[in-house]
Structure formats: C-alpha cells, structure tokens
Amino acid sequence: MHSTGTVSAPASTETNAAPAEDPHGDTGRHARRFGLPVATALVMGNIIGGGIFLLPASIAPYGTVSLVAFGVLTVGAVALALVFGRLAARDPRTGGPYVYAREAFGDFAGFLAAWSYWITTWVSNAALAVAAVGYLDVLIPVGGHAWTACLAALALQWLPALANFAGTRYVGAVQLVSTVLKFVPLLLVAVGGLFFFDPSRLGPFNSSGHGAIGAVSASAALLLFSYLGVESAAVSAGEVENARRNVGRATVIGTAGAALVYLLGTLSVFGTVAHDRLVNSTAPFSDAVNTMFGGTWGGTAVALAALVSMTGCLNGWTLLSAQTPYAAAKDGLFPAAFARRRRGVPTVGVGVTVVLSSLLTAYNYLSGSGKVFEVLVLVTTFTATVPYLLATAAQLFHLVSGDRPVDRGRLLRDSAITAVAAVFSIWLMAGAGYAAVYQGVLFLFAGILVYAVMAARRRRHETASAVTAGE
C-alpha cells in the first residue's frame, strides 16, 4: 500500500504494489489503487450525489425544522466517519462494516452487515436513478409517462455499470472528474443563493403536523440518504493506498466537506424557492438558479451538472455494491461467484446488483407509486443503519475489551465519539418509520435463509476436508 494521489500511477516497487493477488481475476493495468485525493473524492462523490439535488424538495413538507435535523445529522455523520477511520486503521481490508462486525462478533454478525449493506447499495442505486430522472426531465421531457421515466432511470444505472466493467482505473477517473464538476452548481447555489435569500420564502418552521422532535426525526430519516457513502473509503480499503492512514483521513475530510456544502446548499434553496413551489419541485436546484438569475438557462445548466454528479455517484456506488459481497464471498458467506474479479472489479457483484436495482426501479415506477424516491430512501435508511450499528458496536467492543493499550485521554475521546455514533444509528432506525422498518426487516430476514445455506455448505466442505486430511 502506498500514496501517489492517482489511480493510474505505475507500480514499480514493493510498496507500490498492484492490488493483492486475486485468484478470481486479473490485476493488470486497468486495476490501480486509490490515493488520498481519489479516496476523498470517492467519499464526497458518493455522499454528494442524488441526495443533495432532490432532498430539499423531499424535506420541504416538514418545514425549516428539517434544517435542525441537518445539523444534528451532520454531528452524527462526522462521529460515524471517525469510528470508521479508527476501525480501518485497525483492520484495513476491503469490506468495511462487514469486516469489522465479523472480526468482533463472528460469521453471522458479519453476514448481516454484508447483506444489509448490499441491500442498501442496490436500493440506493435505484433511488439515485429516480432522482436523476427529475433533472433529466429538465433537459429532455421523460417524466410525463411512467414507461419513459422508467427507461431513462434504467439507462442511468447501466452506463455506470459498464464503466465499472472496464476496471477500477476508469472508475477512479470518472469519480474524480464528476466530483470536481458537481461542485460548480453546488457552490453556485450554496454561496450565490445567500445573496438572493428571502426569509419570506422559507415557509413555516414546522409544517409536519407532529411535534418538533418527531418532525426532526422524520426529516432526518429522509436526510440520512444524503449521507450514505460515509463508509465508502472503508468499504474499498483494500483498493486504497496506505489504507491505515488514508481511509480515516479521506472519510473525515470527505464527510466534513460534504456537510458544509449540504447545509449551505439546502439553506440557499429554502431561501430562494417559495415553500409552496419547493414542495412539488422535481429539480429544486434548477428552480433556485432560475429564481436567482431569471429565465431557464441557469436551471438547464444546473440540471446538466446534476446529471453528471448523479452519474458519478452511481459509478461509485456500483463499485461499492460489489465490494462487500466480494469480501463475504472470499470468507464463504456469500456465493463464490461474487469473489470473481476482473480488472480489479468484482464483476459478478456489479452485474447482480445492477439487475436487482433495475428490477426494483421498474417495479416502483410501474406499480403507480407517486413517491418512488421517498419510499426507496426510507428503506435504505433502515438497511444502512444495520451495518452502521454493527460497526459501531465492534468499535465499542474493542474499547471495552481493551485488547490494545491506549492512553486514558484517547480512550475517553473514542468512547464519547462511539456513543454519539451509536445513538445516532438507533435514532435514525426509529425515524425511518414503521413501513420502512417493516420492508427492511423482510429484506433482512430473507438473508438469514441465504446464510443458513451458505453456512451449511461451508460446514460440509470443512468436514470433507477434515476427513480427507485424516486419511
């Protein structure tokens, strides 16, 4: 593992080694490790994707109390980022929450983390594609009919999948370019919008019909989707140079940077687009720019940049969607096909994920649901908190067991951060709502059957090996 700051630097020394030898695929010139800049771009690119471009409209019905939720959520997200940084420094292997949960609590906990995180990634891909269609509709009318919107969403998922099949070298390049490009419209609205800010457009403080605490929790459950990706560098730790050091740095820098852009951007949209209009908007950042400068040219430019951002986000999430099943498959907890890699990418995982997300996208569009994005987001809120909570519990386990000596001051600091991350995860699970928890639990319990089959096959293989060794 090394630090060069680029995904295309040649490997020439022992410390500048190619990815670890993989019997399931090649590690040639298309497979490169990520340096700190690309790892940070992966975190920020996966965090700042479809969420920021559509969520101002999704949380508008709750009122400006949702801005309070954003602030609370940011504190929790940074605490979670610090926990992931600590865990990655301890165990810098690909897999993130799966690796941490399995190392601390055994195979079953590891499998639940891997299964839940895998569900989160492909459901998130479907939600991101739905959000992207809202901005594509600004450029090309596709949202007027369920079939055209559905086909557009499917195309937006398959293009990043094809980029992943080309190899990690291209994944890193696409991620870096899309992350840079997306900041142009975001900073334009986040900073420029403050000069056009009109408090009369904010609407009521709490229009949810619930108490302030209930409104904060409910809006935070939607907003969590905008912070999914905080674990990106940890999940891909095996592809990050000098992972023990760079994963933590990339995670904290990426999360803090995304949080600043989020808070300013959402506040600016709330203050430039009238509340009653924002509630029904499918492209709130485009509406904000149109309000700021008049006409429609600004909104069209923002829509184009939003599509670039979301495509980059889908590109990164598609890679992440295959990494956790890859790690679990190497340990015999997922089907062996998920461990096959080509050009540094677990191709079977990418293929299965994009098929599942495509089926979910088609089902939600064609079932007639008017709130496709919100439904998908709340399901991912529950499924994401399962691996988050297991990873946080793993960090708590290490702190309490004292398996490594640390000074008292650092122990107290890490304990406080872990406690915040744990409360944050449980609070989000509660805020997802009964329907999302119900659907998420069904997804989760289906995985237990898969685990039973895989564990039985693994036991049979071990028994056969023992018998053969004894002969």
Side-chain angles (χ1 to χ4, degrees), residues 249-289:
R249 293 171 66 195
T251 301
V252 174
I253 294 171
T255 303
L260 180 62
V261 173
Y262 272 166
L263 290 170
L264 288 177
T266 304
L267 180 63
S268 293
V269 171
F270 270 41
T272 53
V273 182
H275 181 260
D276 56 347
R277 183 183 174 196
L278 181 60
V279 168
N280 298 308
S281 175
T282 60
F285 273 72
S286 289
D287 290 341
V289 173

CSV table of all heavy atoms in Angstrom, one decimal, residues 249-289:
chain,number,residue,atom,x,y,z
A,249,ARG,N,-8.5,9.6,7.1
A,249,ARG,CA,-8.4,11.0,6.6
A,249,ARG,C,-9.4,11.3,5.5
A,249,ARG,O,-10.1,12.3,5.5
A,249,ARG,CB,-7.0,11.2,6.1
A,249,ARG,CG,-5.9,11.2,7.2
A,249,ARG,CD,-4.5,11.2,6.6
A,249,ARG,NE,-4.3,12.5,5.9
A,249,ARG,CZ,-3.3,12.7,5.0
A,249,ARG,NH1,-2.4,11.7,4.7
A,249,ARG,NH2,-3.1,13.9,4.5
A,250,ALA,N,-9.5,10.4,4.5
A,250,ALA,CA,-10.4,10.6,3.4
A,250,ALA,C,-11.9,10.6,3.9
A,250,ALA,O,-12.7,11.4,3.5
A,250,ALA,CB,-10.3,9.4,2.4
A,251,THR,N,-12.2,9.7,4.9
A,251,THR,CA,-13.6,9.6,5.4
A,251,THR,C,-13.9,10.9,6.2
A,251,THR,O,-15.0,11.5,5.9
A,251,THR,CB,-13.7,8.4,6.4
A,251,THR,OG1,-13.4,7.2,5.7
A,251,THR,CG2,-15.1,8.3,6.9
A,252,VAL,N,-13.1,11.4,7.0
A,252,VAL,CA,-13.4,12.6,7.8
A,252,VAL,C,-13.4,13.9,6.9
A,252,VAL,O,-14.3,14.7,6.9
A,252,VAL,CB,-12.4,12.8,8.9
A,252,VAL,CG1,-12.7,14.1,9.6
A,252,VAL,CG2,-12.6,11.7,9.9
A,253,ILE,N,-12.4,14.0,6.0
A,253,ILE,CA,-12.4,15.2,5.1
A,253,ILE,C,-13.6,15.2,4.2
A,253,ILE,O,-14.2,16.2,4.0
A,253,ILE,CB,-11.0,15.2,4.3
A,253,ILE,CG1,-9.8,15.4,5.2
A,253,ILE,CG2,-11.1,16.3,3.2
A,253,ILE,CD1,-8.5,15.2,4.5
A,254,GLY,N,-13.8,14.0,3.6
A,254,GLY,CA,-15.0,13.9,2.7
A,254,GLY,C,-16.3,14.2,3.3
A,254,GLY,O,-17.1,14.9,2.8
A,255,THR,N,-16.5,13.7,4.5
A,255,THR,CA,-17.8,13.9,5.2
A,255,THR,C,-17.9,15.3,5.7
A,255,THR,O,-19.0,15.9,5.5
A,255,THR,CB,-17.9,13.0,6.5
A,255,THR,OG1,-17.7,11.6,6.1
A,255,THR,CG2,-19.2,13.1,7.2
A,256,ALA,N,-16.9,15.9,6.2
A,256,ALA,CA,-16.9,17.3,6.6
A,256,ALA,C,-17.2,18.3,5.5
A,256,ALA,O,-18.0,19.2,5.5
A,256,ALA,CB,-15.7,17.7,7.4
A,257,GLY,N,-16.5,18.0,4.3
A,257,GLY,CA,-16.7,18.8,3.2
A,257,GLY,C,-18.1,18.7,2.6
A,257,GLY,O,-18.7,19.7,2.2
A,258,ALA,N,-18.6,17.5,2.6
A,258,ALA,CA,-20.0,17.3,2.1
A,258,ALA,C,-21.0,18.0,3.0
A,258,ALA,O,-22.0,18.6,2.5
A,258,ALA,CB,-20.3,15.8,2.0
A,259,ALA,N,-20.8,17.9,4.3
A,259,ALA,CA,-21.7,18.5,5.3
A,259,ALA,C,-21.8,20.0,5.1
A,259,ALA,O,-22.9,20.6,5.1
A,259,ALA,CB,-21.2,18.2,6.7
A,260,LEU,N,-20.7,20.7,4.8
A,260,LEU,CA,-20.7,22.1,4.6
A,260,LEU,C,-21.4,22.5,3.4
A,260,LEU,O,-22.3,23.4,3.4
A,260,LEU,CB,-19.2,22.6,4.5
A,260,LEU,CG,-19.1,24.1,4.3
A,260,LEU,CD1,-19.6,24.9,5.5
A,260,LEU,CD2,-17.6,24.5,4.1
A,261,VAL,N,-21.2,21.8,2.3
A,261,VAL,CA,-21.9,22.0,1.1
A,261,VAL,C,-23.4,21.8,1.2
A,261,VAL,O,-24.3,22.5,0.8
A,261,VAL,CB,-21.4,21.2,-0.1
A,261,VAL,CG1,-22.2,21.3,-1.4
A,261,VAL,CG2,-19.9,21.5,-0.4
A,262,TYR,N,-23.8,20.7,1.9
A,262,TYR,CA,-25.2,20.3,2.2
A,262,TYR,C,-25.9,21.5,2.9
A,262,TYR,O,-27.0,21.9,2.5
A,262,TYR,CB,-25.2,19.1,3.0
A,262,TYR,CG,-25.2,17.8,2.3
A,262,TYR,CD1,-25.0,16.6,2.9
A,262,TYR,CD2,-25.5,17.8,0.9
A,262,TYR,CE1,-25.0,15.4,2.2
A,262,TYR,CE2,-25.5,16.6,0.2
A,262,TYR,CZ,-25.3,15.4,0.9
A,262,TYR,OH,-25.3,14.2,0.2
A,263,LEU,N,-25.3,21.9,4.0
A,263,LEU,CA,-26.0,22.8,4.9
A,263,LEU,C,-26.2,24.2,4.2
A,263,LEU,O,-27.3,24.7,4.2
A,263,LEU,CB,-25.2,23.0,6.2
A,263,LEU,CG,-25.2,21.9,7.1
A,263,LEU,CD1,-24.2,22.1,8.3
A,263,LEU,CD2,-26.6,21.6,7.7
A,264,LEU,N,-25.2,24.7,3.5
A,264,LEU,CA,-25.3,25.9,2.8
A,264,LEU,C,-26.3,25.8,1.6
A,264,LEU,O,-27.1,26.6,1.3
A,264,LEU,CB,-23.9,26.4,2.3
A,264,LEU,CG,-23.0,26.9,3.3
A,264,LEU,CD1,-21.6,27.3,2.7
A,264,LEU,CD2,-23.6,28.1,4.0
A,265,GLY,N,-26.1,24.7,0.9
A,265,GLY,CA,-27.0,24.4,-0.3
A,265,GLY,C,-28.4,24.3,0.0
A,265,GLY,O,-29.3,25.0,-0.6
A,266,THR,N,-28.8,23.6,1.0
A,266,THR,CA,-30.2,23.4,1.4
A,266,THR,C,-30.8,24.7,1.9
A,266,THR,O,-31.9,25.1,1.6
A,266,THR,CB,-30.3,22.3,2.5
A,266,THR,OG1,-29.7,21.1,2.0
A,266,THR,CG2,-31.8,22.1,2.9
A,267,LEU,N,-30.0,25.4,2.8
A,267,LEU,CA,-30.4,26.7,3.3
A,267,LEU,C,-30.7,27.7,2.1
A,267,LEU,O,-31.7,28.4,2.1
A,267,LEU,CB,-29.4,27.3,4.2
A,267,LEU,CG,-29.7,28.7,4.8
A,267,LEU,CD1,-31.0,28.6,5.7
A,267,LEU,CD2,-28.5,29.2,5.7
A,268,SER,N,-29.8,27.7,1.1
A,268,SER,CA,-30.0,28.6,0.0
A,268,SER,C,-31.2,28.3,-0.8
A,268,SER,O,-32.0,29.2,-1.3
A,268,SER,CB,-28.7,28.6,-0.9
A,268,SER,OG,-27.6,29.2,-0.3
A,269,VAL,N,-31.5,27.0,-1.1
A,269,VAL,CA,-32.6,26.6,-1.8
A,269,VAL,C,-33.9,26.9,-1.1
A,269,VAL,O,-34.9,27.5,-1.7
A,269,VAL,CB,-32.6,25.0,-2.1
A,269,VAL,CG1,-34.0,24.6,-2.7
A,269,VAL,CG2,-31.5,24.7,-3.1
A,270,PHE,N,-33.9,26.7,0.2
A,270,PHE,CA,-35.1,27.1,1.1
A,270,PHE,C,-35.4,28.6,1.0
A,270,PHE,O,-36.5,29.0,1.0
A,270,PHE,CB,-34.8,26.7,2.5
A,270,PHE,CG,-35.3,25.3,2.9
A,270,PHE,CD1,-35.1,24.3,2.0
A,270,PHE,CD2,-35.9,25.1,4.1
A,270,PHE,CE1,-35.5,23.0,2.3
A,270,PHE,CE2,-36.4,23.8,4.4
A,270,PHE,CZ,-36.1,22.7,3.5
A,271,GLY,N,-34.3,29.4,0.9
A,271,GLY,CA,-34.5,30.9,0.9
A,271,GLY,C,-34.7,31.5,-0.5
A,271,GLY,O,-34.9,32.7,-0.6
A,272,THR,N,-34.5,30.7,-1.6
A,272,THR,CA,-34.7,31.3,-2.9
A,272,THR,C,-35.9,30.7,-3.6
A,272,THR,O,-36.5,31.4,-4.5
A,272,THR,CB,-33.5,31.0,-3.8
A,272,THR,OG1,-33.2,29.6,-3.8
A,272,THR,CG2,-32.2,31.7,-3.3
A,273,VAL,N,-36.4,29.5,-3.3
A,273,VAL,CA,-37.6,29.0,-3.9
A,273,VAL,C,-38.7,29.0,-2.9
A,273,VAL,O,-38.6,28.5,-1.8
A,273,VAL,CB,-37.3,27.5,-4.3
A,273,VAL,CG1,-38.6,26.9,-5.0
A,273,VAL,CG2,-36.1,27.4,-5.3
A,274,ALA,N,-39.8,29.6,-3.3
A,274,ALA,CA,-41.0,29.7,-2.4
A,274,ALA,C,-41.4,28.3,-1.9
A,274,ALA,O,-41.4,27.3,-2.7
A,274,ALA,CB,-42.2,30.3,-3.2
A,275,HIS,N,-41.8,28.2,-0.6
A,275,HIS,CA,-42.1,27.0,0.0
A,275,HIS,C,-43.1,26.1,-0.7
A,275,HIS,O,-43.0,24.9,-0.9
A,275,HIS,CB,-42.5,27.2,1.5
A,275,HIS,CG,-42.8,26.0,2.2
A,275,HIS,ND1,-44.1,25.5,2.4
A,275,HIS,CD2,-42.0,25.1,2.8
A,275,HIS,CE1,-44.0,24.3,3.1
A,275,HIS,NE2,-42.8,24.1,3.4
A,276,ASP,N,-44.2,26.8,-1.1
A,276,ASP,CA,-45.3,26.0,-1.8
A,276,ASP,C,-44.9,25.5,-3.1
A,276,ASP,O,-45.3,24.4,-3.6
A,276,ASP,CB,-46.6,26.9,-2.0
A,276,ASP,CG,-46.3,28.2,-2.7
A,276,ASP,OD1,-45.1,28.5,-2.9
A,276,ASP,OD2,-47.3,28.8,-3.1
A,277,ARG,N,-43.9,26.1,-3.8
A,277,ARG,CA,-43.4,25.6,-5.0
A,277,ARG,C,-42.3,24.5,-4.8
A,277,ARG,O,-42.3,23.6,-5.5
A,277,ARG,CB,-42.8,26.8,-5.8
A,277,ARG,CG,-42.2,26.4,-7.2
A,277,ARG,CD,-41.5,27.6,-7.9
A,277,ARG,NE,-40.9,27.2,-9.1
A,277,ARG,CZ,-40.0,27.9,-9.8
A,277,ARG,NH1,-39.6,29.1,-9.2
A,277,ARG,NH2,-39.5,27.5,-10.9
A,278,LEU,N,-41.5,24.7,-3.8
A,278,LEU,CA,-40.5,23.8,-3.5
A,278,LEU,C,-41.0,22.4,-3.1
A,278,LEU,O,-40.4,21.4,-3.5
A,278,LEU,CB,-39.6,24.3,-2.3
A,278,LEU,CG,-38.4,23.4,-1.9
A,278,LEU,CD1,-37.5,23.2,-3.0
A,278,LEU,CD2,-37.7,24.1,-0.7
A,279,VAL,N,-42.2,22.4,-2.4
A,279,VAL,CA,-42.8,21.1,-2.0
A,279,VAL,C,-43.0,20.2,-3.2
A,279,VAL,O,-42.9,19.0,-3.1
A,279,VAL,CB,-44.1,21.4,-1.2
A,279,VAL,CG1,-44.9,20.1,-1.0
A,279,VAL,CG2,-43.7,22.0,0.1
A,280,ASN,N,-43.4,20.8,-4.3
A,280,ASN,CA,-43.7,20.0,-5.5
A,280,ASN,C,-42.6,20.0,-6.6
A,280,ASN,O,-42.9,19.5,-7.7
A,280,ASN,CB,-45.0,20.5,-6.2
A,280,ASN,CG,-46.2,20.5,-5.2
A,280,ASN,OD1,-46.5,19.4,-4.7
A,280,ASN,ND2,-46.9,21.6,-5.0
A,281,SER,N,-41.5,20.4,-6.3
A,281,SER,CA,-40.4,20.5,-7.3
A,281,SER,C,-39.7,19.2,-7.5
A,281,SER,O,-39.6,18.4,-6.6
A,281,SER,CB,-39.3,21.5,-6.8
A,281,SER,OG,-38.2,21.5,-7.7
A,282,THR,N,-39.4,18.9,-8.8
A,282,THR,CA,-38.6,17.7,-9.1
A,282,THR,C,-37.1,18.0,-9.4
A,282,THR,O,-36.3,17.1,-9.6
A,282,THR,CB,-39.2,17.0,-10.3
A,282,THR,OG1,-39.2,17.8,-11.4
A,282,THR,CG2,-40.6,16.5,-10.0
A,283,ALA,N,-36.8,19.3,-9.4
A,283,ALA,CA,-35.4,19.8,-9.7
A,283,ALA,C,-35.2,21.1,-8.9
A,283,ALA,O,-35.1,22.2,-9.5
A,283,ALA,CB,-35.2,20.0,-11.2
A,284,PRO,N,-35.1,21.0,-7.6
A,284,PRO,CA,-35.1,22.2,-6.7
A,284,PRO,C,-33.9,23.1,-7.0
A,284,PRO,O,-34.0,24.3,-6.9
A,284,PRO,CB,-35.1,21.6,-5.3
A,284,PRO,CG,-34.7,20.2,-5.4
A,284,PRO,CD,-35.2,19.8,-6.7
A,285,PHE,N,-32.7,22.5,-7.3
A,285,PHE,CA,-31.5,23.4,-7.6
A,285,PHE,C,-31.7,24.1,-8.9
A,285,PHE,O,-31.3,25.3,-9.0
A,285,PHE,CB,-30.3,22.5,-7.6
A,285,PHE,CG,-29.7,22.4,-6.2
A,285,PHE,CD1,-30.3,21.6,-5.3
A,285,PHE,CD2,-28.5,23.0,-5.9
A,285,PHE,CE1,-29.7,21.4,-4.0
A,285,PHE,CE2,-27.9,22.9,-4.6
A,285,PHE,CZ,-28.6,22.1,-3.7
A,286,SER,N,-32.3,23.5,-9.9
A,286,SER,CA,-32.6,24.2,-11.1
A,286,SER,C,-33.6,25.4,-10.9
A,286,SER,O,-33.4,26.5,-11.4
A,286,SER,CB,-33.2,23.3,-12.2
A,286,SER,OG,-32.2,22.4,-12.6
A,287,ASP,N,-34.6,25.1,-10.1
A,287,ASP,CA,-35.6,26.1,-9.7
A,287,ASP,C,-34.9,27.3,-9.0
A,287,ASP,O,-35.2,28.5,-9.2
A,287,ASP,CB,-36.7,25.5,-8.9
A,287,ASP,CG,-37.6,24.6,-9.7
A,287,ASP,OD1,-37.6,24.7,-10.9
A,287,ASP,OD2,-38.3,23.8,-9.0
A,288,ALA,N,-33.9,27.0,-8.1
A,288,ALA,CA,-33.3,28.0,-7.3
A,288,ALA,C,-32.4,28.9,-8.3
A,288,ALA,O,-32.5,30.1,-8.1
A,288,ALA,CB,-32.4,27.4,-6.3
A,289,VAL,N,-31.7,28.3,-9.2
A,289,VAL,CA,-30.9,29.1,-10.1
A,289,VAL,C,-31.8,29.9,-11.0
A,289,VAL,O,-31.5,31.1,-11.4
A,289,VAL,CB,-29.9,28.2,-10.9
A,289,VAL,CG1,-29.2,29.0,-12.0
A,289,VAL,CG2,-28.9,27.5,-10.0
